[in-house]
């Protein structure tokens, strides 16, 4: 009973993470399900895809209503990411892919995620957002030729450098494979990619990533359906708890700069990753 209560309290943190920084949901969900709730690693990965997918979709809706969403970027990133998510979910059918290997892979991805979040810090993202705000206030006649691309406005796709046109779907494919194989939605990879490759403000990148995560997770989950047995009562109750968290996180994100939380969350993920790797 205690584990059930603790697990659901921690599940609220899944939604908080998604609402505040646009990622980290699966990074929390899988360890909670495995080490607190006693779920098998493969089942936990499948359940986390469902939980994080549903909650991310809930978070994407208000983000889109507030204008923190880029349909053009999502359209470029998502199809390749969905393909990758399905391929990743099918990799686990290979005879040499064991539960231990999958969980160790998850721990390594967490380790990489923590390093990215710690090293990135707030400054670069804040500068991108500030630069976009400054450019948007300047008269159109004074804007440089690339300004509309840097501010993430409705600039034509062909005005973006050719290598970036291909870089976005290629990263989408890679993120999707990681999503399907280890159950990580990939927000910590998606958001930097959207900011650096598409030059959109951080809040728009977070909102866009939530939709991408939800679609990736849905495809990855479907790929697991015929491979594992899902505890639906636990999955749905965790989804509800995480949904409460994302609404809280979305409200707090209006008062707290997400980038300021990223480094602290990175250290937390580093601790959890170390724990996962030691346990295996």
């Amino acid at each position: 009973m205690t584990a059930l209560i603790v697990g659901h309290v921690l599940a609220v943190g899944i939604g908080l993470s998604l609402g505040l920084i646009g990622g980290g949901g699966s990074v929390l969900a899988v360890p909670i399900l495995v080490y607190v709730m006693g779920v098998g690693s493969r089942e936990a990965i499948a359940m986390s895809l469902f939980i994080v997918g549903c909650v991310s979709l809930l978070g994407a809706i208000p983000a889109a209503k507030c204008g923190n969403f880029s349909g053009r970027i999502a359209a470029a990133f998502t199809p390749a990411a969905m393909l990758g998510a399905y391929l990743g979910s099918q990799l686990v059918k290979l005879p040499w892919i064991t539960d231990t290997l999958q969980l160790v892979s998850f721990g390594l991805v967490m380790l990489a995620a923590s390093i990215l979040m710690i090293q990135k810090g707030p400054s670069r993202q804040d500068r991108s957002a500030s630069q976009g705000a400054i450019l948007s206030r300047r008269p159109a006649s004074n804007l440089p030729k690339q300004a509309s691309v840097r501010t993430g406005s409705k600039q034509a796709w062909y005005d973006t450098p050719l290598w970036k046109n291909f870089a976005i779907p290629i990263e989408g494919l890679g993120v999707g494979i990681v999503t399907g194989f280890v159950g990580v939605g990939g927000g910590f990879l998606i958001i930097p990619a959207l900011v650096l490759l598409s030059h959109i403000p951080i809040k728009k990148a977070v909102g866009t990533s939530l939709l991408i995560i939800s679609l990736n997770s849905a495809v990855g989950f479907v790929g697991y359906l015929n491979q594992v047995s899902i505890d639906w009562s636990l999955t749905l109750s965790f989804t509800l708890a995480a949904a409460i968290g994302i609404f809280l996180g979305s409200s707090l994100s209006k008062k707290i700069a997400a980038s300021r939380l990223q480094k602290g969350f990175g250290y937390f993920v580093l601790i959890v990753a170390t724990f996962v790797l030691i346990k295996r």
Side-chain angles (χ1 to χ4, degrees), residues 28-46:
L28 296 175
V30 174
I32 293 170
L33 289 168
V34 172
Y35 298 112
V36 179
M37 305 309 300
V39 177
S41 58
R42 193 160 296 187
E43 289 78 8
I45 288 172

Side-chain angles (χ1 to χ4, degrees), residues 134-200:
I134 292 168
L135 287 170
S136 66
R137 291 195 296 267
R138 290 171 59 183
S141 59
N142 294 331
L143 286 174
K145 290 181 180 180
Q146 297 87 353
S148 55
V149 176
R150 291 185 178 277
T151 55
S153 63
K154 298 178 180 179
Q155 184 74 6
W157 176 250
Y158 53 76
D159 284 343
T160 305
L162 184 61
W163 71 270
K164 290 185 178 180
N165 288 349
F166 289 102
I168 292 174
I170 288 172
E171 179 162 11
L173 181 66
V175 169
I177 291 172
V178 172
T179 297
F181 186 65
V182 298
V184 174
F188 62 89
L189 294 174
I190 296 170
I191 293 171
L194 298 185
V195 171
L196 297 175
L197 296 179
S198 304
H199 299 289
I200 61 176

Side-chain angles (χ1 to χ4, degrees), residues 14 25-52 99 102-103 106 179-184 221 224 227-231 234-235 238:
I14 297 170
S26 298
V27 166
L28 296 175
V30 174
I32 293 170
L33 289 168
V34 172
Y35 298 112
V36 179
M37 305 309 300
V39 177
S41 58
R42 193 160 296 187
E43 289 78 8
I45 288 172
M47 290 165 65
S48 77
L49 288 170
F50 181 91
I51 296 164
V52 172
D99 288 354
Q102 208 173 358
L103 203 54
F106 174 80
T179 297
F181 186 65
V182 298
V184 174
F221 177 73
Y224 275 94
Q227 301 182 54
V228 298
S229 177
I230 303 294
D231 184 340
L234 182 60
T235 300
F238 256 57

Side-chain angles (χ1 to χ4, degrees), residues 73-88 165-180 190 212 215-217 219-220:
I73 300 301
F77 198 101
T78 305
M82 292 174 70
L83 173 62
Y86 182 77
L87 293 175
N165 288 349
F166 289 102
I168 292 174
I170 288 172
E171 179 162 11
L173 181 66
V175 169
I177 291 172
V178 172
T179 297
I190 296 170
I212 296 170
L215 295 174
N216 277 5
S217 299
V219 173

